[in-house]
Amino acid sequence: SLQLAQQVCDKAYFDAALDDICSRFLSIPNEEIESMLEALEAQYPAALIDHFKLYIDEIRKFCQE
């Protein structure tokens, strides 16, 4: 509906959703992320794991700002 579309596009709504996503992402301990990346190493090439790690690091950096 138009009302829902306007709510989703509202800056306060967007910022609240982004804050929620960031807080959930940052609540994942580094040890769990490292464990996940190690598990992926068994299935995927090292270059892809490096890409995942860089992507995760950038998200964490963005969320900490």
Side-chain angles (χ1 to χ4, degrees):
S1 77
L2 182 57
Q3 182 181 5
L4 178 59
Q6 288 173 335
Q7 179 183 355
V8 170
C9 292
D10 179 70
K11 181 172 176 14
Y13 183 91
F14 180 84
D15 288 348
L18 185 59
D19 286 347
D20 181 54
I21 291 168
C22 280
S23 68
R24 290 172 189 250
F25 196 85
L26 291 174
S27 72
I28 302 169
N30 284 335
E31 297 78 25
E32 286 188 29
I33 291 175
E34 291 298 322
S35 176
M36 177 198 68
L37 291 171
E38 287 175 15
L40 290 173
E41 287 176 352
Q43 298 290 324
Y44 297 99
L48 190 55
I49 303 308
D50 290 343
H51 176 76
F52 286 154
K53 182 169 179 8
L54 179 62
Y55 186 72
I56 290 168
D57 289 346
E58 288 298 315
I59 293 172
R60 288 174 92 71
K61 185 167 62 173
F62 172 83
C63 286
Q64 289 170 340
E65 292 177 354

